[in-house]
Amino acid sequence: MKKLINKVEDVVKEQVEGLCLAHPELMLSEDPCFVYRKADNDSVALVSGGGSGHEPMHAGFIGEGMLRAACPGQVFTSPTPDQMFECGKAVNTVKGVLLLIKNYTGDVLNFETAVELLHFEDIPVGSVTIDDDVAVKDSLYTAGRRGVGATVLIEKIVGAAAQRGDDLGQLEVLARDLNNKSRSFGVALDACMVPAAGKTSFDLADDEIEFGVGIHGEPGIERRKTCDVQSLVADMLKELLENTGYSRTLRTWNRKEGSWDEVEAQVEDFTAGDELIVMVNGMGATPASELYGAYREVYKGLEAAGFKVARNLIGNYCTALNMEGFSVTLLKADEEALKLWDAPVNAPSLRWGK
Amino acid sequence: MKKLINKVEDVVKEQVEGLCLAHPELMLSEDPCFVYRKADNDSVALVSGGGSGHEPMHAGFIGEGMLRAACPGQVFTSPTPDQMFECGKAVNTVKGVLLLIKNYTGDVLNFETAVELLHFEDIPVGSVTIDDDVAVKDSLYTAGRRGVGATVLIEKIVGAAAQRGDDLGQLEVLARDLNNKSRSFGVALDACMVPAAGKTSFDLADDEIEFGVGIHGEPGIERRKTCDVQSLVADMLKELLENTGYSRTLRTWNRKEGSWDEVEAQVEDFTAGDELIVMVNGMGATPASELYGAYREVYKGLEAAGFKVARNLIGNYCTALNMEGFSVTLLKADEEALKLWDAPVNAPSLRWGK
């Protein structure tokens, strides 16, 4: 295994330390581990987290107009409840804390425990689970759909709404609405190498790709032969656009009752004329040039299908260590969402320099 | 070969098209190929270029406060003189055009021809060659030292000076001064795959790294065994800091005489107490998390040696397709350089979203 690391057990600790050394406005709690910033006003604290290995998500998105804090687990491993609990206590203001969770069984379990613990401390707390991956319904680590790239877009838009002063209930409604308007689909050309495992997470032949891959290398719809990017994107757009009429039950925290409600939620269908925010996201080892080549196909395909690409984001945002491949996320955006998308953001991974 | 491309011969054309579709403020000349933006004032037009495969460098840096235009060659191949010539004519204002060249034999030859052609058109033109790589003196494609990561830093700082209205002569002096204050050193963990070749550019065993690699996979100082990032960075800093007393002859364009002068220029030594801008640059396939782990070692090593890390830049800026590895660039910065570093920049690869 060739990696820029010291001891495997120190990987996350040292990388987070490096982040905070580079960007001194970020503060580090070592035990339990979380990264946070001072509140610049009394806005709701938006907190996310999950297994490490997806950088810059989430800690690289801490900054005015986006996250207040992030709780990194070990690589591809959920953070523990006490990370989110102590983090929530540290960043709470009078307006409360909103946790954004990617839909993986471990994450959901641990975040939900943290929600309950924060509630018992009389901290106003909410949580929204993101499940945007249309590739598979149940997967290696998930009941339901996986939470992937839309997390980046939702953290940005909801972060802007938090910054302007929206209250906890409004932010929950907004985040759930955005999640219902989001879809992602990923493809791997080559597997990633997990430090603790010391080997690649799966194996692909020289002419094979994983179609519908998750952000930990979980299997997708099928292993298929390589093809040109035009054909590949055409197939991805088909999956993204034709996956209609889908609803699922998501647990939502009832602050008044202090209990979980089971809420049926419908994923919105996409129809010609919709305005979309489009992310072409590198999985870690894909050159920027190829992402732009892929974006060209995505843009042309969407315009040909009658959609309007209103905004775009192209680069490495929701990665899987050094996996080669990319994902496409589409978010159906109204004027309000576009306004929040365009609002200033000052996070280390989304701005110029230190 | 697994790549997100269509036909090999269309790779650069389509990727540049994707860039301009994503960022409509960028304009594309197809034949000869260059990317440019409208002048927002009558400042000197800063133009760079070189072989493709190093994205986001250069076209991703076109924007107010940085480049006016970029001329992409085929992958790892110099652009032709007529690309820079037509580009220079298109973006010239009354204050002229400054070409920034990375020191590779092909680039220097073709850029110098373009300088002469622009001069014959009565366009005020200057050129500065960047040669910051301390690893080797002569290399596969270079007489002298290679031009690598410092190009990013110099384009930013000189771009800010152009934006505030500095004239051509001032910008040339500034760029040469910054080049004399810059050093870079790179390491490859794994080779990249060049589309036209259909195979990796070199081969490394599972426990080998290339120490001192160039941005096209050119050999460095030695092929050595892998080690932890702390030891690796310590060795890189030794090369960066102990490489002293070095001068070389660089050709500079004499606008008055219309001819080239041979100018002896001294690389400045670095001494404890110096303030540094530090870039930890991914070569394309290195996870952001590992770059931050490497930055931690760079920061600690420099502070221990008595330097002050005044600014930092961490991410994929000067890449080699999907090469795994990273480089460290140090630039000795005075107050003026830091002020220009901090000036606003509005380029696609250095800001939030579209």
Side-chain angles (χ1 to χ4, degrees):
Chain A
M1 177 178 60
K2 292 188 277 191
K3 286 208 162 280
L4 303 173
I5 61 174
N6 294 312
K7 286 190 210 141
V8 165
E9 58 270 31
D10 296 333
V11 160
V12 172
K13 178 184 160 291
E14 293 186 352
Q15 291 169 349
V16 170
E17 224 179 274
L19 181 79
C20 294
L21 281 172
H23 311 290
E25 78 277 18
L26 300 186
M27 291 175 290
L28 178 60
S29 158
E30 287 195 22
D31 188 19
C33 177
F34 57 90
V35 185
Y36 63 113
R37 65 180 170 94
K38 271 217 289 252
D40 45 300
N41 58 25
D42 67 352
S43 60
V44 173
L46 195 62
V47 175
S48 194
S52 292
H54 307 299
E55 293 70 21
M57 188 175 83
H58 301 273
F61 303 150
I62 299 173
E64 269 177 57
M66 208 155 168
L67 297 183
R68 180 78 57 78
C71 303
Q74 290 303 305
V75 173
F76 292 176
T77 304
S78 170
T80 56
D82 68 312
Q83 286 180 262
M84 279 81 77
F85 174 55
E86 293 297 337
C87 176
K89 283 200 293 183
V91 300
N92 177 43
T93 64
V94 288
K95 293 181 91 171
V97 178
L98 178 59
L99 301 179
L100 289 180
I101 316 171
K102 296 192 299 304
N103 191 38
Y104 296 93
T105 306
D107 289 61
V108 171
L109 197 69
N110 290 350
F111 272 87
E112 288 192 353
T113 304
V115 166
E116 293 169 20
L117 292 170
L118 288 166
H119 177 78
F120 292 134
E121 295 276 322
D122 288 327
I123 290 175
V125 59
S127 80
V128 174
T129 303
I130 296 167
D131 64 337
D132 55 309
D133 190 339
V134 301
V136 289
K137 281 197 186 160
D138 298 296
S139 178
L140 204 51
Y141 311 113
T142 334
R145 295 183 179 204
R146 302 174 294 214
V148 290
T151 314
V152 180
L153 281 53
I154 293 172
E155 289 178 0
K156 169 65 179 82
I157 296 172
V158 176
Q163 186 74 35
R164 76 175 171 193
D166 284 19
D167 68 28
L168 186 53
Q170 291 171 310
L171 295 177
E172 283 177 309
V173 168
L174 175 63
R176 290 200 183 102
D177 180 54
L178 293 169
N179 184 43
N180 286 331
K181 290 175 171 164
S182 297
R183 293 146 182 242
S184 297
F185 193 92
V187 170
L189 277 63
D190 233 326
C192 57
M193 169 86 79
V194 179
K199 57 186 180 67
T200 50
S201 51
F202 56 102
D203 287 305
L204 282 170
D206 277 351
D207 61 349
E208 270 183 347
I209 62 173
E210 185 69 44
F211 186 71
V213 77
I215 53 173
H216 311 91
E218 308 94 312
I221 293 175
E222 59 171 348
R223 191 158 291 194
R224 53 157 80 176
K225 295 289 172 194
T226 49
C227 63
D228 58 70
V229 69
Q230 183 173 21
S231 312
L232 180 60
V233 165
D235 287 350
M236 293 169 78
L237 288 181
K238 209 171 154 186
E239 297 289 338
L240 284 161
L241 296 173
E242 295 183 6
N243 211 311
T244 58
Y246 181 76
S247 75
R248 69 278 190 243
T249 301
L250 293 174
R251 282 160 62 91
T252 66
W253 180 246
N254 184 324
R255 257 189 304 288
K256 207 167 155 190
E257 304 290 334
S259 62
W260 295 95
D261 295 337
E262 306 274 336
V263 178
E264 177 88 2
Q266 183 80 25
V267 173
E268 286 192 30
D269 291 341
F270 285 17
T271 46
D274 286 343
E275 289 207 300
L276 303 178
I277 296 175
V278 174
M279 176 168 74
V280 172
N281 170 60
M283 294 291 202
T286 302
S289 51
E290 289 182 37
L291 296 180
Y292 275 106
Y295 176 76
R296 176 176 171 275
E297 305 297 345
V298 172
Y299 177 88
K300 291 189 169 190
L302 288 172
E303 295 274 325
F307 294 94
K308 192 187 162 213
V309 178
R311 300 290 186 279
N312 64 68
L313 188 65
I314 300 158
N316 293 325
Y317 294 99
C318 169
T319 64
L321 295 168
N322 62 336
M323 190 151 87
E324 220 169 315
F326 77 115
S327 61
V328 176
T329 297
L330 307 179
L331 189 154
K332 190 161 88 169
D334 57 18
E335 210 176 307
E336 179 68 6
L338 292 178
K339 200 179 94 186
L340 293 165
W341 179 262
D342 291 338
V345 59
N346 186 20
S349 300
L350 305 173
R351 63 157 184 242
W352 165 248
K354 170 180 161 182
Chain B
M1 178 178 59
K2 291 189 276 189
K3 287 208 162 278
L4 303 173
I5 60 173
N6 294 311
K7 286 189 208 141
V8 166
E9 58 270 31
D10 296 332
V11 160
V12 172
K13 179 184 159 291
E14 292 186 353
Q15 290 169 348
V16 170
E17 222 179 275
L19 179 79
C20 294
L21 281 171
H23 311 290
E25 78 275 19
L26 301 186
M27 291 175 290
L28 178 61
S29 158
E30 288 195 20
D31 188 21
C33 178
F34 57 90
V35 185
Y36 64 112
R37 64 180 170 95
K38 270 217 290 251
D40 46 300
N41 58 24
D42 66 354
S43 59
V44 173
L46 194 62
V47 175
S48 193
S52 291
H54 307 298
E55 292 71 21
M57 188 177 82
H58 301 274
F61 303 150
I62 299 173
E64 269 176 57
M66 208 155 167
L67 297 183
R68 180 78 57 78
C71 304
Q74 290 303 306
V75 174
F76 292 176
T77 303
S78 169
T80 55
D82 68 312
Q83 286 179 264
M84 279 81 78
F85 175 54
E86 293 298 336
C87 176
K89 283 199 294 183
V91 300
N92 177 44
T93 63
V94 288
K95 293 180 90 170
V97 178
L98 177 60
L99 302 180
L100 290 179
I101 316 170
K102 298 193 298 302
N103 191 36
Y104 295 94
T105 306
D107 290 61
V108 171
L109 197 69
N110 290 350
F111 272 86
E112 289 192 353
T113 304
V115 166
E116 293 169 21
L117 292 171
L118 288 166
H119 177 77
F120 292 133
E121 295 276 322
D122 288 326
I123 290 174
V125 59
S127 80
V128 174
T129 303
I130 297 167
D131 64 338
D132 55 310
D133 190 338
V134 301
V136 288
K137 282 198 186 160
D138 297 295
S139 178
L140 205 52
Y141 311 113
T142 334
R145 296 185 180 203
R146 302 175 293 214
V148 292
T151 314
V152 180
L153 281 54
I154 294 172
E155 289 179 0
K156 170 64 180 81
I157 296 171
V158 176
Q163 186 74 35
R164 75 176 170 192
D166 285 19
D167 68 29
L168 187 52
Q170 290 171 311
L171 295 177
E172 283 176 308
V173 169
L174 174 64
R176 290 200 183 102
D177 181 54
L178 293 168
N179 184 43
N180 286 331
K181 289 175 170 164
S182 295
R183 292 147 181 243
S184 296
F185 193 93
V187 169
L189 277 63
D190 233 327
C192 57
M193 169 86 79
V194 179
K199 58 186 181 63
T200 50
S201 51
F202 56 102
D203 286 305
L204 283 169
D206 277 352
D207 62 349
E208 270 183 347
I209 61 173
E210 185 70 44
F211 186 71
V213 77
I215 54 174
H216 311 90
E218 308 95 313
I221 293 175
E222 59 171 347
R223 191 157 291 193
R224 54 158 77 177
K225 295 289 172 195
T226 51
C227 63
D228 58 70
V229 68
Q230 184 174 18
S231 313
L232 180 60
V233 165
D235 287 350
M236 293 169 77
L237 288 180
K238 210 170 154 186
E239 297 289 339
L240 284 162
L241 297 173
E242 295 183 5
N243 211 312
T244 57
Y246 181 77
S247 74
R248 68 275 189 247
T249 302
L250 293 174
R251 281 159 63 90
T252 65
W253 180 245
N254 184 324
R255 259 190 302 288
K256 208 167 154 191
E257 305 290 334
S259 62
W260 295 95
D261 295 337
E262 305 275 336
V263 178
E264 177 87 2
Q266 183 79 24
V267 172
E268 286 192 28
D269 291 341
F270 285 17
T271 47
D274 286 343
E275 289 206 299
L276 303 178
I277 297 176
V278 174
M279 177 168 74
V280 172
N281 170 61
M283 294 292 203
T286 301
S289 51
E290 289 182 37
L291 296 180
Y292 275 106
Y295 176 76
R296 177 177 171 274
E297 305 297 344
V298 172
Y299 178 89
K300 291 189 168 189
L302 288 172
E303 294 275 324
F307 293 94
K308 192 185 163 215
V309 179
R311 300 290 187 279
N312 64 67
L313 187 65
I314 300 158
N316 293 325
Y317 294 99
C318 169
T319 64
L321 296 168
N322 63 335
M323 190 151 88
E324 220 168 315
F326 76 116
S327 61
V328 176
T329 297
L330 308 179
L331 189 154
K332 190 162 86 169
D334 57 18
E335 211 175 305
E336 179 68 5
L338 292 177
K339 200 179 93 184
L340 292 165
W341 179 261
D342 292 337
V345 59
N346 185 20
S349 299
L350 305 173
R351 63 157 185 243
W352 165 248
K354 170 181 160 178

